[in-house]
């Protein structure tokens, strides 16, 4: 931290946004629309942040795209839903601000740029649709696919996943669900043919189509270009600048490293930290959640297990702490059960946990949760179980050869062997999987139990109990299949899409560890996204959004897109508060260095 009076500023703007994910770009667009001179700086040589690596969903009940379809959720019911799932960890004011402002944010973006087109596909349920205010139709908003060639030179600067899909392969919001039903429905087979055609088109016509998070990030960047909002890449923030001559140590800018130089940027109206979490600072994470040491042991000490932005190492959170900010939920993350292959590659375990012919056991060989539960709940059960002294990291997904031949498991496509296919195919479990030790097999329950080091009799007992429940069509132990959310990736041809007995051997066990989509704890903020001290006073001029702030979802997850939705919404809220467009006085009082003659960009 440095003071404003030590040396002059090299560059002056109204609003400085640190980070170019969904929250940062939404903040920049909103600030610019208010007539504020805005600059976005990004640590990485690529823009997009964790948004670009994500599924691209935006959880916004009451979004214009829903209203156009005649679906208008009751805001009071949505507030009730959020209040219940957050369990008192989040203030009513923050929850209400999100509920009220999220639809406004979407409407603003749609009007601001023709690139920002949003669609709602009903059917992807909220994660707790049976609770008051929850919805079986869901409130996940998506963007259509886009040909990245429209980005021009900016295409090369878009952050892309480390493991990209084969050229031409992209999934729309509904494609993935149908793809998982490739053996159950003609619509699933049609998606497979569609993917093949997309690959052919890409090779014949040079299409560079992208969907989900890639499309969302590209569209936000195109909207910024439309408005001539500058973005500095490879420009990390190293510290915040405060006004020591003012009464409250107000943040008035930041120090940025650019082109080998250290530049002092004055932000006359405010700094918005949208720099992400500390996904890849494993020492810091272990400090707050020691159980992660077991994950590190399994993944390898030289690897980490987060799907989040590789550049997310907590810079914004640390900078905030240095100027007096308080933090919360630093032990929390957007958890996701995953397979960790020997090369360190992580693979989501999503649809597999909803498959009918499987169950998951801990180190005692017992089921411990509804396997199809939302991934945050599943991961919390792993963490809590590990603390009990029984091994839950890893746990094991148990299935049979029939299920392997019928469902997509760990990316394996259950169709005849296709040479040179971009994903595993065929009727045999790939030998490399078994050789890796991540997948085990046995011709009896006892043999499989020995392979995964759980009590032989207990695994057999668990399997027999599960099969008996599956035959009745109801999981009396954990109620798997009772929720519309459970059913989403299940088998629609079954009475209970999530239940079917396991049949004849061989049986297989897939090792599940704890992965995440990024950390979700950070700087404490109020309903205006202003950063707070430990005594709840506001640090003037400083705002935090996205994973740089403690999540408005608390330790829960409302539905698909409940990370990006709040990031973009509070980016919008922060910008409007800086501009004074939100009711109440804007968080701006003249500081010792403010001057009406300060130069603009």
């Amino acid at each position: 931290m440095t003071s404003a009076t030590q040396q002059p500023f090299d560059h002056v703007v109204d609003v400085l946004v640190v980070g170019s994910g969904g929250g940062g770009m939404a903040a920049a667009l909103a600030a610019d629309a208010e007539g504020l001179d805005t600059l976005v700086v990004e640590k990485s040589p690529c823009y997009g942040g964790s948004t670009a690596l994500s599924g691209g969903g935006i959880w916004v009940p009451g979004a214009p795209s829903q209203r156009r379809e005649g679906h208008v959720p009751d805001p009071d019911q949505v507030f009730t839903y959020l209040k219940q799932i957050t369990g008192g960890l989040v203030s009513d004011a923050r929850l209400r601000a999100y509920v009220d402002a999220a639809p406004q944010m979407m409407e603003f973006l749609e009007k601001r740029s023709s690139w920002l087109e949003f669609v709602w596909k009903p059917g992807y349920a909220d994660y707790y649709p049976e609770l008051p205010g929850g919805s079986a139709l869901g409130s996940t908003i998506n963007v259509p696919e886009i040909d990245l060639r429209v980005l021009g030179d900016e295409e090369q600067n878009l952050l892309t996943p480390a493991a990209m899909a084969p050229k031409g392969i992209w999934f729309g919001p509904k494609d993935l669900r149908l793809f998982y039903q490739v053996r159950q429905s003609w619509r699933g087979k049609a998606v497979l043919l569609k993917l093949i055609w997309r690959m052919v088109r890409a090779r014949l016509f040079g299409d560079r189509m992208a969907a989900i998070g890639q499309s969302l990030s590209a569209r936000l960047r195109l909207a910024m270009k439309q408005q001539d909002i500058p973005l500095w890449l490879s420009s990390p923030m190293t510290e915040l600048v405060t006004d020591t001559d003012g009464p409250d140590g107000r943040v008035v800018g930041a120090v940025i490293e650019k082109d080998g130089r250290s530049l002092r940027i004055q932000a006359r109206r405010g700094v918005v930290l949208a720099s992400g979490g500390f996904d890849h600072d494993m020492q810091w994470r272990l400090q707050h959640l020691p159980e992660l040491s077991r994950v590190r042991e399994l993944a390898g000490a030289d690897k980490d297990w987060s799907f989040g932005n590789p550049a997310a190492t907590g810079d914004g959170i640390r900078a905030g702490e240095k100027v007096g900010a308080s933090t919360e939920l630093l032990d929390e993350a957007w958890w996701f059960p995953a397979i960790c292959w020997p090369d360190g590659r992580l693979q989501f375990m999503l649809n597999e946990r909803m498959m009918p012919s499987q169950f998951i056991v801990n180190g005692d060989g017992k089921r411990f949760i509804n396997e199809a539960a939302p991934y945050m709940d599943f991961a919390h059960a792993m963490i809590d179980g590990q603390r009990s002294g029984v091994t839950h990291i890893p746990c094991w997904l148990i299935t049979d050869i029939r299920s392997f031949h019928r469902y997509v498991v760990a990316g394996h496509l259950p169709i005849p062997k296709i040479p040179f296919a971009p994903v595993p195919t065929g009727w045999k479990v790939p030998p490399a999987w078994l050789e890796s030790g991540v997948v085990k097999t046995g011709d009896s329950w006892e043999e499989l139990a020995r392979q995964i080091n759980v009590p032989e009799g207990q695994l057999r007992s668990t399997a027999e109990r599960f099969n008996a429940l599956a035959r009745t069509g109801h999981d009396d132990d954990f109620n798997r299949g009772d929720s519309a959310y459970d059913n989403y990736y299940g088998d629609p041809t079954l009475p209970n899409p999530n239940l079917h007995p396991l049949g004849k051997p061989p049986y297989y066990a897939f090792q599940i560890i704890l992965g995440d989509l990024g950390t979700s704890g950070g700087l404490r903020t109020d309903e205006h996204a202003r950063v707070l001290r430990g005594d709840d006073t506001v640090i003037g001029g400083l705002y935090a959004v996205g994973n740089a702030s403690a999540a408005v979802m608390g330790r829960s997850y409302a539905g698909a897109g409940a990370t990006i939705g709040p990031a973009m919404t509070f980016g919008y809220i922060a910008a409007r508060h800086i501009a004074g467009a939100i009711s109440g006085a804007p968080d701006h009082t003249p500081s010792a260095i403010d001057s009406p003659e300060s130069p603009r960009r």
Side-chain angles (χ1 to χ4, degrees):
M1 176 185 67
T2 60
S3 72
T5 55
Q6 287 178 340
Q7 53 185 294
F9 285 99
D10 301 290
H11 193 81
V12 179
V13 294
D14 290 325
V15 179
L16 175 65
V17 178
V18 182
S20 64
M25 288 196 276
L29 287 164
D32 178 81
E34 294 291 343
L36 299 176
D37 183 20
T38 303
L39 169 66
V40 181
V41 295
E42 168 59 52
K43 171 184 180 180
S44 167
C46 300
Y47 63 87
S50 289
T51 300
L53 307 180
S54 75
I58 312 166
W59 193 78
V60 179
S65 51
Q66 282 187 321
R67 299 199 298 266
R68 288 192 289 268
E69 300 295 327
H71 181 61
V72 185
D74 181 348
D76 290 338
Q77 285 293 304
V78 176
F79 171 79
T80 297
Y81 175 68
L82 290 176
K83 189 169 176 63
Q84 185 163 353
I85 69 171
T86 54
L89 289 176
V90 182
S91 72
D92 286 2
R94 286 186 75 202
L95 294 176
R96 179 60 72 179
Y98 178 61
V99 171
D100 293 343
Q104 298 170 16
M105 175 271 296
M106 298 293 282
E107 185 173 6
F108 158 74
L109 290 176
E110 286 187 340
K111 291 178 177 178
R112 191 63 176 165
S113 172
S114 59
W115 290 113
L116 296 173
E117 178 184 356
F118 299 101
V119 295
W120 176 59
K121 301 288 187 181
Y124 196 171
D126 292 342
Y127 288 175
Y128 308 95
E130 288 74 32
L131 291 180
S135 171
L137 293 176
S139 292
T140 301
I141 313 302
N142 296 98
V143 292
E145 67 277 4
I146 191 171
D147 192 326
L148 294 179
R149 289 178 292 183
V150 300
L151 283 166
D153 292 342
E154 284 293 280
E155 180 185 355
Q156 64 185 342
N157 297 328
L158 174 62
L159 182 64
T160 56
M164 283 291 288
K167 186 178 181 181
I169 294 291
W170 56 271
F171 288 93
K174 289 285 188 179
D175 288 345
L176 191 60
R177 181 190 191 188
L178 293 173
F179 179 69
Y180 288 146
Q181 298 171 10
V182 66
R183 292 292 305 279
Q184 284 76 57
S185 73
W186 286 105
R187 294 177 70 194
K189 295 174 178 61
V191 169
L192 179 59
L193 293 175
K194 187 191 297 185
L195 294 177
I196 294 171
W197 170 238
R198 288 171 183 170
M199 290 179 66
V200 172
R201 272 198 61 94
R203 284 158 176 76
L204 290 178
F205 304 110
D207 294 353
R208 293 199 288 275
M209 303 301 295
I212 58 177
Q214 290 279 285
S215 178
L216 176 58
S217 297
R219 290 171 179 277
L220 287 166
R221 181 69 188 105
L222 287 164
M224 282 181 56
K225 288 182 68 176
Q226 261 185 341
Q227 305 302 328
D228 293 323
I229 301 172
L231 168 63
W232 294 359
L233 298 176
S234 301
S235 301
M237 178 198 68
T238 58
E239 59 182 322
L240 294 167
V241 178
T242 59
D243 179 10
T244 55
D245 292 338
D248 61 355
R250 176 185 178 83
V251 170
V252 294
V255 178
I256 307 297
E257 296 291 334
K258 179 174 170 59
D259 299 328
R261 295 179 57 211
S262 183
L263 302 177
R264 288 167 53 83
I265 311 297
Q266 181 185 356
R268 294 180 294 195
R269 301 296 295 271
V271 174
V272 180
L273 296 176
S275 49
F278 56 107
D279 316 359
H280 299 281
D281 187 329
M282 291 304 158
Q283 291 303 321
W284 198 7
R285 299 194 61 183
L286 285 164
Q287 175 186 337
H288 290 285
L289 192 66
E291 286 77 15
L292 291 178
S293 61
R294 179 60 177 148
V295 181
R296 191 167 202 184
E297 179 183 336
L298 293 164
D302 60 336
K303 302 181 180 72
D304 65 47
W305 52 88
S306 179
F307 291 91
N309 177 11
T313 54
D315 301 350
I317 299 172
R318 287 191 182 88
E321 287 182 312
K322 287 180 180 177
V323 298
S326 60
T327 58
E328 62 185 355
L329 299 177
L330 295 185
D331 62 334
E332 198 57 86
W334 306 114
W335 302 113
F336 212 118
I339 292 176
C340 184
W341 298 106
D343 62 1
R345 179 175 57 91
L346 288 177
Q347 187 161 1
F348 287 156
M349 290 293 274
L350 177 59
N351 68 293
E352 293 90 346
R353 295 185 297 108
M354 298 180 181
M355 293 188 321
S357 300
Q358 57 81 6
F359 57 87
I360 294 176
V361 299
N362 59 22
D364 279 350
K366 298 178 180 179
R367 294 177 69 202
F368 59 94
I369 190 175
N370 165 14
E371 290 86 350
Y375 32 87
M376 287 282 280
D377 290 355
F378 189 94
H380 285 148
M382 291 176 68
I383 294 169
D384 292 343
Q386 190 74 11
R387 289 171 178 167
S388 75
V390 176
T391 298
H392 285 70
I393 306 173
C395 52
W396 296 88
L397 181 140
I398 311 296
T399 191
D400 62 1
I401 191 64
R402 173 191 173 277
S403 186
F404 184 78
H405 289 166
R406 189 168 174 80
Y407 304 111
V408 176
V409 184
H412 172 270
L413 197 57
I415 59 175
K417 183 73 174 178
I418 300 177
F420 310 113
V423 296
T425 57
W427 305 122
K428 295 182 178 180
V429 173
W433 288 11
L434 299 170
E435 293 165 5
S436 72
V438 174
V439 183
K440 305 285 189 178
T441 186
D443 288 326
S444 68
W445 295 120
E446 288 74 17
E447 182 181 356
L448 187 64
R450 290 192 294 272
Q451 290 291 317
I452 63 174
N453 195 31
V454 303
E456 297 176 17
Q458 182 58 61
L459 184 61
R460 172 172 287 279
S461 176
T462 299
E464 290 174 348
R465 170 68 176 170
F466 176 83
N467 282 351
L469 294 173
R471 291 186 189 99
T472 71
H474 188 266
D475 177 12
D476 294 345
D477 293 345
F478 295 99
N479 299 314
R480 184 165 115 199
D482 286 6
S483 171
Y485 173 75
D486 295 2
N487 302 160
Y488 189 76
Y489 288 120
D491 185 341
T493 67
L494 298 176
N496 184 328
N498 305 105
L499 288 181
H500 190 278
L502 280 74
K504 297 178 181 179
Y507 303 117
Y508 297 93
F510 290 76
Q511 185 185 78
I512 301 177
I513 69 163
L514 195 60
D516 65 69
L517 306 172
T519 56
S520 60
L523 301 174
R524 291 178 61 243
T525 57
D526 68 4
E527 67 272 23
H528 303 301
R530 297 179 297 183
V531 175
L532 301 175
R533 300 182 180 89
D535 61 1
D536 288 343
T537 58
V538 170
I539 298 178
L542 186 62
Y543 298 74
V545 304
N547 290 348
S549 63
V552 73
M553 294 291 159
R555 296 185 184 273
S556 192
Y557 208 105
T563 55
I564 298 175
M568 293 174 65
T569 298
F570 281 101
Y572 169 80
I573 286 172
R576 285 174 55 80
H577 190 270
I578 290 170
I582 292 177
S583 59
D587 179 31
H588 179 69
T589 53
S591 73
I593 59 166
D594 271 323
S595 167
E597 289 78 32
S598 296
R600 290 178 62 86
R601 161 169 51 97

